[in-house]
Amino acid sequence: MSRKPSNILYSVDEKPPLGTLIILGVQHATLALLFLVYPLVAAAEAGLSFDDTQILITSCIIFMGLATIAECWPKPGAGMLLVQIPNMAHLPLAVQSMSAGGPAVYATMNLIAAVSQLSLTRFMGVLRAVFPPEICGVAVTMLGVALAEPALRRAFGLSHDATVHIDPLYPMVSFVTLAIIIVLAIFSRGMLRLFAVAIGAAAGWTLAAFVGVAPAPAATFSALPYVDLPHVGWPGLGFSWALVPAAVLTGIISAVDMIGTVVSMQRLNDADWRRADMAQAGRAIRANCVADMGAAVSGGFASASSSASIGVAFATGTTAWRVGAVAGVLMLLAAFSPRLVGALTIIPPPVIGAILIYAAAFLVVAGMELILSRRLSDRRIFTVGLAVMAGLAVAILPQLVESTPHWMQPILESPLSVSTGIAVVLNLFFRIGISQVASQRVTEGENPFTVTTEFLERQGDLWGARRDVIAAAIPVVAEGVEMLLDTGVAQGELEMRARFDENNFDVSLIYKGDPISIPTHRPAPEDLLGDAEAVARFVGYMLSKRADRLVLGKEGERQVLDMRFEH
C-alpha cells in the first residue's frame, strides 16, 4: 500500500464529497476542452471545410471523454487521475496528412500511430530498464518545458508571427490569476484550496472582461444550439508512404509522453515512490490507443494524457480517480452542446496562460526531484544534462529544426521527444563497460564500516541506485562483515559481492568457515559469549531482521549469505 503524501487531501482511491467531486471534475474537463485549439489549428492549416472541422472536433471530444473514463477506472484501466486532451504531438502529422489527402489520410496515419504505440505495451518489462527514474525525470521536466511556450505566449498576448508587441494588460491579468491560484493553493485550507484553479480562473476572466482583453464571441456564437446530437462520420481511408515514418514515430512519442504523465501521477500519489509501475503505464497506453483508433475511424483527432491536469491535481491536493471519471463524463456531455464548446473557446488567453504556467512549474520541479532520487555518476550526469540541453536547443532555436529534412521536422519539433530520445540512447550507450556484479575483498585487519561504505557508495553511484537504499544497506552489510570477522566465523577474510537491477540491490558475503543459521526466535545476548555456532545463530538472526531477505547457500567450499534490499 502506498503512503499518502502530506499535501494530498484526497488520494487516488479516496472518494471526495459529491459536490467537491463535481466541481473538481468541471475544472479538469474545462481545462481539457481548452486544448481543442490544437485540432482547430490543424483544421485551419489544412484548409478543412466547416463540416469536416465540426466532425474533427466532435469526435475528438467524444473519445477524449471515453479515454479519460477508461484510464481513470481501476483495472483494466490505470486507476489513476489521467485526463485526456488533444494530442499536441499529432499536430504536425495531422496538418501534413490532411493537407496531402484530407481526413481519410489522417485517419489512416492515426491508426498506424495507435498501432505503433500499442506495440510498445508488449515490452513494458524491458522498458523499465530503458526508462529508469532519471530518464523519466527528464521526460517529466521536458513536459513542463514544452508547456512553457504556449503558457508564456498566452500570458503575454503574443501571436505566432514575428511581430512582438506586448499589451501590459495581458501579463497583468495573467499575474493576478496566477497569484490568486498560488496564494489559495499554499496558504488556504479545505474548499478554497480545492478550488484554487477555478477561483483564480473566474477572477482572471472577470478582470480580463473589465480591462477589455477578453475575446468577444463570434457572430455565429448566438446561432449555436444549446443541445444537439454529435455529428461524426466515417472519413474513409487514404494512404501515403511518405507519412508512415512520421506516423510510427508519433506513436512512439505519444507512448513516451504517456509514460511521463503516469510516472508523474505515481510520484504525486505515493510519498515513498521508488520506481515506475510499468504495468500501470501499459494499461494507460492501451486505453489511449483504443480511443485513438475510435477517433480515427470517426474522423476525429488523437488524444493524450494531460500534463496540465497533473498541475491542477497538485494545486487542488486531489488525485482521486473518481474526479477523472467525472471529468470524462462531462466531456462526453459537452459533445452534445455546441454552445458550451463555443463558450470554452473564448476564455481569455492570459487566464489560460496562468493555469499552464502553474502546471509547467510543478512538472519541472517534479522532474528534477525524480532525477535526483538516484545517485548520479558522471555517466548519468552527462545523460541527464545533455538530454535536457538537446530539448532546450530545439525549443530555443527553432531554426535548427527548420534546417533538417522535412520528414524529420515533426519529430524534432517536440522538446519532450528530443530530450527523452537522447536520454534513452545515452543511457543505453553509457551502460557499456559497466558490470552489474562487483566484488570487494575484506580482511580481518581492515575497518569493515569504512570498506563497506566506500564499496557500496562507489557501486551505487556507478549503477545509479537510489540513495536511501544504499544508505540502508551500508550499516547492515558492515555489521554482518564485522560480526563474521571479529567472532571468527569467517576465517581471516571474506568477499563482498554486490549485484544490482532496477528491482533489487543484492549484497553477498562469501567466506570460508562455519555456516550460520537463521533461528525463528531471538537468541539470548549471552550467545555472543558462547561458541562459534551460537555466535553464528545470533549473526543470522540479526541480519535476517534488517535485510529485506536473507538467503543462505554455498559456493564450492565457501559459505554464502545473500542479503536483498528492495529497490
Side-chain angles (χ1 to χ4, degrees):
M1 295 294 292
S2 61
R3 182 168 63 90
K4 183 170 74 172
S6 58
N7 64 317
I8 298 299
L9 300 177
Y10 299 104
S11 64
V12 60
D13 291 320
E14 292 181 320
K15 185 177 182 181
L18 181 60
T20 301
L21 198 63
I22 293 175
I23 295 178
L24 291 177
V26 169
Q27 282 189 160
H28 282 281
T30 302
L31 182 61
L33 292 172
L34 294 176
F35 286 92
L36 289 172
V37 64
Y38 296 144
L40 285 171
V41 168
E45 290 290 328
L48 292 192
S49 66
F50 176 78
D51 290 340
D52 286 340
T53 301
Q54 289 294 100
I55 291 173
L56 183 75
I57 299 300
T58 304
S59 174
C60 180
I61 294 174
I62 291 173
F63 285 97
M64 277 167 49
L66 291 175
T68 298
I69 295 171
E71 289 181 359
C72 293
W73 210 267
K75 292 182 180 179
M80 63 190 335
L81 179 54
L82 295 171
V83 179
Q84 295 288 104
I85 62 171
N87 190 346
M88 184 172 60
H90 265 253
L91 188 56
L93 178 65
V95 171
Q96 294 179 40
S97 301
M98 290 189 289
S99 298
V105 173
Y106 176 58
T108 305
M109 295 302 111
N110 196 354
L111 286 172
I112 293 174
V115 171
S116 301
Q117 186 177 353
L118 186 63
S119 64
L120 290 182
T121 62
R122 304 289 297 178
F123 308 99
M124 298 309 288
V126 176
L127 288 179
R128 175 172 289 172
V130 178
F131 290 96
E134 66 271 19
I135 306 303
C136 292
V138 169
V140 173
T141 298
M142 297 313 296
L143 278 172
V145 171
L147 279 180
E149 189 274 335
L152 295 173
R153 183 162 41 81
R154 287 173 171 82
F156 288 95
L158 300 176
S159 60
H160 285 284
D161 57 32
T163 304
V164 176
H165 172 70
I166 299 178
D167 184 343
L169 294 177
Y170 277 82
M172 181 194 72
V173 171
S174 188
F175 174 79
V176 170
T177 303
L178 182 61
I180 292 173
I181 293 173
I182 291 175
V183 168
L184 292 179
I186 294 176
F187 298 107
S188 65
R189 293 292 181 268
M191 302 297 283
L192 286 177
R193 182 187 173 192
L194 282 173
F195 307 135
V197 176
I199 294 171
W205 198 337
T206 302
L207 179 60
F210 179 76
V211 300
V213 297
T220 57
F221 177 76
S222 58
L224 293 174
Y226 285 97
V227 178
D228 195 9
L229 291 174
H231 296 287
V232 296
W234 164 246
L237 295 176
F239 194 78
S240 171
W241 281 109
L243 293 172
V244 170
V248 172
L249 290 168
T250 298
I252 295 173
I253 292 168
S254 299
V256 171
D257 188 5
M258 179 68 74
I259 291 172
T261 54
V262 170
V263 169
S264 297
M265 286 306 300
Q266 289 174 353
R267 186 73 177 83
L268 191 59
N269 280 317
D270 188 357
D272 301 317
W273 186 87
R274 293 187 175 186
R275 57 180 177 267
D277 183 347
M278 301 305 288
Q280 189 175 41
R283 295 195 298 273
I285 292 174
R286 282 190 288 271
N288 182 69
C289 291
V290 172
D292 282 355
M293 291 176 182
V297 299
S298 58
F301 194 87
S303 62
S305 288
S306 169
S307 54
S309 73
I310 299 174
V312 174
F314 175 77
T316 60
T318 301
T319 58
W321 65 263
R322 291 177 176 85
V323 172
V326 170
V329 171
L330 292 174
M331 282 189 272
L332 283 175
L333 294 177
F336 290 82
S337 178
R339 178 70 68 94
L340 175 61
V341 174
L344 292 172
T345 62
I346 60 173
I347 292 180
V351 175
I352 300 174
I355 297 173
L356 294 181
I357 288 173
Y358 190 96
F362 162 74
L363 289 169
V364 169
V365 175
M368 292 178 180
E369 192 174 15
L370 271 176
I371 292 169
L372 296 176
S373 68
R374 291 292 188 99
R375 303 182 67 92
L376 296 178
S377 64
D378 290 342
R379 299 181 185 221
R380 291 175 183 269
I381 288 172
F382 279 112
T383 297
V384 172
L386 292 176
V388 171
M389 287 298 295
L392 292 176
V394 300
I396 297 172
L397 301 172
Q399 56 266 36
L400 292 177
V401 180
E402 294 169 1
S403 65
T404 61
H406 186 69
W407 64 270
M408 291 181 61
Q409 293 182 13
I411 308 163
L412 300 178
E413 284 176 349
S414 169
L416 168 65
S417 62
V418 171
S419 285
T420 307
I422 294 292
V424 169
V425 171
L426 290 177
N427 177 51
L428 295 176
F429 175 74
F430 284 142
R431 282 174 175 265
I432 298 173
I434 296 180
S435 172
Q436 294 303 99
V437 179
S439 63
Q440 174 73 43
R441 181 171 167 267
V442 188
T443 61
E444 193 172 8
E446 294 179 289
N447 186 321
F449 281 90
T450 300
V451 176
T452 301
T453 300
E454 292 177 353
F455 173 61
L456 295 187
E457 285 189 344
R458 181 174 66 251
Q459 292 306 131
D461 288 341
L462 189 61
W463 291 332
R466 287 176 48 226
R467 299 174 185 274
D468 58 322
V469 173
I470 298 299
I474 286 173
V476 179
V477 176
E479 185 176 351
V481 172
E482 181 181 42
M483 297 178 76
L484 288 171
L485 290 175
D486 288 356
T487 59
V489 175
Q491 299 173 2
E493 67 176 28
L494 59 77
E495 177 189 353
M496 275 192 298
R497 185 181 297 166
R499 295 179 298 277
F500 174 73
D501 59 35
E502 285 299 320
N503 297 319
N504 301 295
F505 185 79
D506 297 324
V507 181
S508 300
L509 301 181
I510 308 168
Y511 66 94
K512 288 184 178 181
D514 296 327
I516 70 169
S517 59
I518 306 176
T520 56
H521 300 288
R522 179 185 176 91
E526 309 82 73
D527 286 349
L528 285 174
L529 303 176
D531 58 18
E533 185 177 346
V535 173
R537 285 198 301 270
F538 192 90
V539 173
Y541 178 82
M542 295 300 295
L543 294 180
S544 68
K545 294 302 179 185
R546 300 189 61 185
D548 291 319
R549 192 181 76 175
L550 177 64
V551 178
L552 307 180
K554 294 196 69 174
E555 185 179 280
E557 296 180 353
R558 298 193 296 174
Q559 309 296 331
V560 180
L561 281 72
D562 283 321
M563 289 173 284
R564 168 157 291 180
F565 303 91
E566 293 182 357
H567 193 267

